[in-house]
Amino acid sequence: MTGYLDLIMFAALMMAILSGFPVSFSIAGVAIAFAYLGWMLGVMDVSLLGALGQRAFGLLTNTVLIAIPVFVLMGAILEKSRIAEELLDTMGRSFGQLRGGLGISVVLVGALLAASTGIVGATVVAMGMIALPTMLRAGYNPALSAGIVCTAGTLGQIIPPSTLLIILADVMSNAFQQAQYEQGKFSVEALSVGQFFAAAMIPGLLLVTLYLLYILIRGALRPHDMPPADIGLARPDRHEVFAAIVPPVLLIFAVLGAILGGIATPTEAASVGAIGALLMAGRKIGVNPKLILLGAAALVILGLLAGVYPVRLQRSDNGTLEWAIGAFYALLAIVGLVAVLLALRAAMREKIIHNALSSTLTMTSMIFATILAAGFFSLVFIGLGGEERVAHMLENLPGGPTGALLFVMLFVFVLGFFLDFVEISVIVLPLVAPSLILMGHDPIWLGVLLAINLQTSFLTPPFGFSLFYLRAAAPKEITTVHIYRGVVPFIGLQAVGILLVWAMPFLATWLPSLLF
C-alpha cells in the first residue's frame, strides 16, 4: 500500500473537492494529511516541506500572475457598468432579422466581451438575462438557445486576455525550464504571457468561426429552430452601432496591441485596460462623452509620443525643445487625469467601483489561494514519488509522444467534468507538462491545445461552471436538461477545434514566432 500512496492521495483529492468543501482548503487538507501519513510510514522525507515558504514567496512575487487581479478588475468594471447589455441590444437589432441572427449576435458579442473582459461568469449571466429571453420570444429552440449562450460565454477563456492563459503561461514556462534543466541546459529560455496570448488568437477566432458556421448550417437545415426574429425594435443606425462597438474594440487593440507589440508587459497593459474600462464606464453613466473622448485621446497620444521621443527632465543638458515637449506631455497627462477622475467620481457615485472591487477581490483570492494550496499539494505528491510515477507512465504508453499527449488530453477532458480549470492547471499540468516537452512537443502549441481542452471544462456536465451560471440566470422555461442538451453539439465543436490545431500546429505557432 505504501508504494501507491501518491495515487491514493490523488484519489482522496478528487473526493475532497467533490464533497463541496472549499477547494483551496480541500487541497491543503489532503496535502497535510498525506504528508503526515507519508512521514509516519517512512516513505517521505518531511524536510521537503521546508520549500513551502519559498513557494509562497515565489507566488506573491510572481510578475506574471500579478496581471490577474488587474485584468479581472478591468472586466468587472465593464460588467458592472452594463456595457455588455448595450452591445447585446445593438447586435441583436442588427442581426435579428436573419435566420439564426440572434445566435450570431450572441456569439459575436461573446467574442468581443471575451477580448475585453475575459470573465466567463459575468458574460454568461449577462447574456442569460438579456439575450436568452429575447431568443425564446423569437421562437428559438430552448436547448439550442441555452447552448449558444453558454458556449459564447466561455470564449473568455481562450481569447486573450484571459486568466486561464496567464496561469497556463506561468505553468508551461516553468515546465519548459524544468525540461531544459533535465536536458542538461543551464542557460534556459523562458516563455512569456505575450507568446501565449499571440498563440491563442487564431485558435480562438477559429472556434468563433466554427460556432458561427454551425449556427448558419443548422439554421438552413432546421429553420424552425432559429426563425428570423421580429423583436419589434428598429434596426440601429450607424451612429448607434459605432457607439456600441468601437469603444470595446479600441480597448482590445490598446491592451493586446501593447502586449503583442512588446510595448508593455501584461501587467502594464492590464492597467491601461482598467483605465480604459473606467473611461468607458464614465461615458455610459453620464460623464460628458466629449470630455471622455478628449481624455482618452490625450492619454493615447501621450503614450505614443513618449515611446517615440522620451524626455527626461532631470537631465542637465536639456534644451528649450526638450522643456517644451515636456510641458506638452504634462498638459496631455493633466487632460487625461481630469477625464479619469471625472469617470472615477461618477463610477463611485453609482457604486460601480465598489462592486467591481468586491468581485475582483473575491475572484483573485480564490485563484491565488488555490495556486498556493496546489504548491503544497505538489510538494507532498513529489515527496511520495508521484512525479517519477507520472513520468514513467507517460514514457511507457503505447504510441510514444503522440500516445502520451492523447492520454493527457483525454485525462484532462475527463477531469474537466469534475474540476475547475484552475485546479487542473496548477495541480495536474505541472506533473505532466515537463515530460511531454521532453518528448519533443512544442510548449506553446501544447499550451494552446490544453487551453482549448480546459475551456471545454466550463461546458461539460455535471459541474461545468457555465452551466451553473446560466442555470442561475436563465428564465424558468429553461430547464437543466435543456442546458445539458444544448451544450453537447458545442462540446463536439470544441473537439473539432482541438483536432484542427493538433493537425495544423502553425495555427498556434505562426503568430508568436512572427511577433516574438
Side-chain angles (χ1 to χ4, degrees):
M1 175 183 167
T2 56
Y4 296 96
L5 209 55
D6 52 338
L7 298 179
I8 298 170
M9 179 185 183
F10 197 83
L13 174 67
M14 299 295 107
M15 293 173 61
I17 290 175
L18 293 177
S19 71
F21 199 68
V23 170
S24 54
F25 296 124
S26 297
I27 298 170
V30 169
I32 291 170
F34 277 83
Y36 184 74
L37 186 60
W39 173 61
M40 290 290 292
L41 296 174
V43 295
M44 177 180 166
D45 181 6
V46 80
S47 65
L48 188 66
L49 298 183
L52 266 179
Q54 186 180 355
R55 288 205 169 196
F57 181 76
L59 173 64
L60 297 176
T61 56
N62 190 316
T63 54
V64 173
L65 298 180
I66 288 172
I68 290 176
V70 194
F71 274 125
V72 173
L73 176 63
M74 166 184 154
I77 292 172
L78 289 175
E79 178 220 340
K80 304 300 179 186
S81 57
R82 301 186 180 278
I83 288 167
E85 293 181 17
E86 184 180 2
L87 261 176
L88 276 167
D89 174 66
T90 305
M91 298 288 273
R93 288 188 288 133
S94 299
F95 293 98
Q97 291 81 3
L98 303 173
R99 181 172 285 112
L102 286 178
I104 291 169
S105 66
V106 167
V107 172
L108 292 176
V109 170
L112 275 174
L113 292 177
S116 53
T117 69
I119 301 178
V120 169
T123 306
V124 171
V125 169
M127 292 198 290
M129 294 176 69
I130 305 160
L132 197 51
T134 306
M135 295 167 84
L136 295 176
R137 284 199 303 272
Y140 272 54
N141 178 287
L144 176 63
S145 303
I148 291 172
V149 169
C150 267
T151 308
T154 63
L155 286 168
Q157 289 305 310
I158 188 63
I159 295 179
S162 88
T163 305
L164 168 60
L165 290 174
I166 295 171
I167 295 173
L168 260 182
D170 184 59
V171 170
M172 296 305 295
S173 182
N174 291 336
F176 185 43
Q177 291 176 6
Q178 183 179 335
Q180 290 175 89
Y181 282 129
E182 292 185 24
Q183 289 172 332
K185 299 177 183 176
F186 295 101
S187 177
V188 297
E189 299 175 45
L191 302 173
S192 69
V193 174
Q195 287 172 284
F196 281 89
F197 279 6
M201 286 291 290
I202 295 175
L205 295 175
L206 174 67
L207 287 178
V208 173
T209 306
L210 289 174
Y211 301 158
L212 293 176
L213 286 174
Y214 173 75
I215 291 170
L216 290 170
I217 292 169
R218 181 158 176 173
L221 296 178
R222 303 183 63 177
H224 59 280
D225 279 355
M226 290 183 285
D230 181 17
I231 51 180
L233 297 172
R235 293 191 69 170
D237 58 31
R238 194 173 301 173
H239 174 73
E240 282 184 275
V241 174
F242 185 87
I245 294 175
V246 170
V249 170
L250 289 178
L251 183 66
I252 292 164
F253 272 105
V255 174
L256 291 183
I259 297 172
L260 301 182
I263 299 169
T265 65
T267 308
E268 292 164 349
S271 304
V272 170
I275 293 296
L278 181 61
L279 291 173
M280 286 172 61
R283 181 189 68 87
K284 184 80 168 59
I285 57 180
V287 179
N288 190 324
K290 292 181 180 177
L291 283 175
I292 293 293
L293 188 61
L294 182 64
L299 292 175
V300 170
I301 293 168
L302 176 61
L304 292 173
L305 291 181
V308 173
Y309 194 92
V311 174
R312 294 173 176 81
L313 296 179
Q314 71 271 27
R315 289 177 53 164
S316 58
D317 59 345
N318 284 328
T320 306
L321 177 63
E322 282 75 17
W323 282 102
I325 293 174
F328 179 61
Y329 287 179
L331 177 63
L332 290 174
I334 291 169
V335 172
L337 181 62
V338 168
V340 169
L341 290 175
L342 288 172
L344 181 62
R345 185 179 70 174
M348 292 183 72
R349 185 176 63 243
E350 298 290 327
K351 301 291 185 184
I352 288 173
I353 293 295
H354 304 67
N355 296 333
L357 286 173
S358 176
S359 61
T360 300
L361 287 170
T362 302
M363 183 172 289
T364 304
S365 60
M366 181 272 290
I367 290 172
F368 277 81
T370 304
I371 295 173
L372 189 60
F376 187 9
F377 180 91
S378 64
L379 264 181
V380 178
F381 191 76
I382 290 167
L384 294 174
E387 191 175 41
E388 290 85 355
R389 186 188 297 276
V390 169
H392 178 75
M393 181 181 66
L394 291 177
E395 288 166 3
N396 289 279
L397 282 170
T402 303
L405 179 56
L406 181 61
F407 171 80
V408 169
M409 293 294 287
L410 290 173
F411 183 57
V412 168
F413 178 75
V414 172
L415 285 180
F417 283 78
F418 310 103
L419 302 183
D420 181 24
F421 78 94
V422 179
E423 296 145 28
I424 299 173
S425 299
V426 297
I427 296 173
V428 179
L429 298 189
L431 298 173
V432 299
S435 296
L436 291 175
I437 294 170
L438 280 169
M439 291 177 179
H441 294 297
D442 182 278
I444 292 178
W445 172 74
L446 178 61
V448 171
L449 283 178
L450 289 167
I452 302 174
N453 201 343
L454 289 169
Q455 181 201 352
T456 311
S457 71
F458 279 82
L459 299 174
T460 45
F463 297 118
F465 275 64
S466 286
L467 312 179
F468 288 138
Y469 293 139
L470 186 62
R471 177 65 273 167
K476 60 180 182 295
E477 308 97 278
I478 296 291
T479 65
T480 303
V481 174
H482 283 143
I483 297 172
Y484 283 6
R485 277 176 41 214
V487 296
V488 170
F490 294 97
I491 293 172
L493 291 174
Q494 294 279 124
V496 171
I498 291 174
L499 290 174
L500 288 173
V501 176
W502 191 319
M504 296 179 282
F506 65 86
L507 291 173
T509 57
W510 173 75
L511 191 57
S513 65
L514 180 70
L515 296 175
F516 296 91

